[in-house]
Amino acid sequence: MTTRLPPLGYRMGGQGSRYELNTPALVLDLNALERNIHRMAEAMRGFGRRLRPHAKSHKCVRIARAQIEAGAVGICCATLDEAEVMAANGISGILVTSPVTTAMKVSRFIELVGGAPDTMIVVDNADNAGALAAAAERAGVTASVLVDVELGFGRTGVLSVDAAEALARAIAACPSLRFAGVQAYGGHLQHSADHGARLDLCRRAHGFIRDIVARLTSIGMPPEIITGGGTGTHAIDGIEGPFTEIQAGSYVFMDAEYQDITYEDGSDWPFENALFVQTAVTSINVAGTVTTDAGTKSFALNGPKPRIATPGLSGAAYEYSGDEHGRVRLGAGMVQPKLGDRLECVIPHCDPTVVLYDAFHCVRQDALAEIWPVDARGRR
């Protein structure tokens, strides 16, 4: 049996310098995180919308709790694994945003509802609703279920107003289920780079959602919850969308992927980069470059390349040079870093980068303040 060592910060007692971490390390700027949480909470209050942020971005109980303390009504979880961890740590108001369809997962979800009755889930198929209903009846619980609506990404969700009505009726016909509303999330809308194009796409999606809501209302089933949206569309959805609540998640960290997107014409993003990967220089022999200890195992690969945030190197190009190695190509006039120097990179895509690490090394300016585990990392 192997023993898994805790992150270096734990062995340091959670104190010390920001630049004494065991690299590669996930570094979380607490001041920026707190500002991001506050700004989104204030924005939602201004829009008159509730916020149920997506925990898939951080998978961290401490961050989920901070979001709720700032006014969020609960959290979204992409997986049952995440939801179980959050519920076990006292987080309430959980919405599982993807259907669960295997007998094992259906049973686990109903068990979760037994301990956390306000937990909800989405379905896009009447057979799935029936399986949830049968399991809930056997367990003597009532499960809250939302109709999942497809907005053009082609992943999950009903495809038409008629299908939404039929599924809502099927849910309502099950005594052990409660029809709670509709989810309409368009992941492809979040990263439409041009603001004008993103606005047009959102308005088309809003029209479809409104048609579904109108139909359900006309048959006496007005949705209590209309949930969707994300960081990339939060302002559009907040100002003119049909949603009662917004599911934004990445705003807590921001990442290089969002840096490539125009927030609004002439306006900067209101959220800051708060999450970085710290890496150390391991070789300086090749002119114009240095090698680091953070390669393809240290960053999500489904986004842009990492962006170096270290002063004096922000224009340098970060490349992958293998599983365990990165390469920094220095620009003209840049001073070459020395062996052992620490560089910090804005992460490419926050969700799949976070899952590569056991912990957040939380810093305030140059000091290591705390270590927070990535609680919901991995599969159970």
Side-chain angles (χ1 to χ4, degrees), residues 83 87 91 93-96 109 112-113 116-121 142-145:
I91 301 299
I94 297 171
L95 169 61
V96 181
F109 175 74
L112 180 58
V113 171
D118 64 350
T119 302
M120 303 178 288
I121 198 166
T142 300
S144 296
V145 178

Side-chain angles (χ1 to χ4, degrees), residues 89-100:
N89 284 276
I91 301 299
S92 61
I94 297 171
L95 169 61
V96 181
T97 59
S98 299
V100 297

Side-chain angles (χ1 to χ4, degrees), residues 117-344:
D118 64 350
T119 302
M120 303 178 288
I121 198 166
V122 304
V123 298
D124 70 358
N125 184 285
D127 289 344
N128 188 204
L132 288 166
E137 185 175 359
R138 289 193 297 270
V141 301
T142 300
S144 296
V145 178
L146 288 78
V147 171
D148 191 21
V149 175
E150 208 279 308
L151 294 181
F153 193 42
R155 188 166 60 189
T156 66
V158 297
L159 304 178
S160 68
V161 174
D162 289 344
E165 177 186 344
L167 184 53
R169 287 185 183 275
I171 294 167
C174 299
S176 58
L177 300 183
R178 183 180 76 88
F179 172 63
V182 298
Q183 171 182 271
Y185 174 71
H188 60 301
L189 305 179
Q190 306 308 313
H191 298 287
S192 177
D194 177 75
H195 178 261
R198 194 161 69 251
L199 179 61
D200 289 342
L201 290 169
C202 285
R203 285 175 172 167
R204 273 182 259 165
H206 294 166
F208 181 46
I209 299 164
R210 287 193 174 98
D211 288 344
I212 290 174
V213 171
R215 172 73 68 83
L216 294 176
T217 301
S218 74
I219 63 171
M221 299 180 65
E224 172 190 339
I225 295 172
I226 307 166
T227 185
T231 297
T233 64
H234 79 278
I236 297 170
D237 294 328
I239 292 169
E240 58 181 78
F243 301 104
T244 61
E245 62 179 48
I246 304 297
Q247 295 185 359
S250 298
Y251 73 94
V252 292
F253 299 144
M254 297 303 286
D255 53 32
E257 196 167 34
Y258 272 111
Q259 286 182 321
D260 291 337
I261 296 170
T262 302
Y263 172 59
E264 290 178 354
D265 293 338
S267 299
D268 294 328
W269 280 96
F271 312 115
E272 308 168 46
N273 294 128
L275 189 64
F276 307 88
V277 166
Q278 184 182 115
T279 180
V281 175
T282 59
S283 181
I284 58 174
N285 292 343
V286 178
T289 73
V290 298
T291 299
T292 71
D293 61 0
T296 57
K297 290 182 179 179
S298 301
F299 300 97
L301 302 182
N302 63 339
K305 295 289 179 60
R307 308 267 168 86
I308 301 176
T310 301
L313 294 173
S314 59
Y318 200 97
E319 302 172 354
Y320 302 122
S321 188
D323 294 348
E324 311 293 350
H325 300 92
R327 178 182 292 116
V328 177
R329 294 196 179 275
L330 304 172
M334 290 184 179
V335 176
Q336 185 183 59
K338 301 185 293 295
L339 285 177
D341 277 359
R342 310 304 179 95
L343 313 180
E344 290 186 351

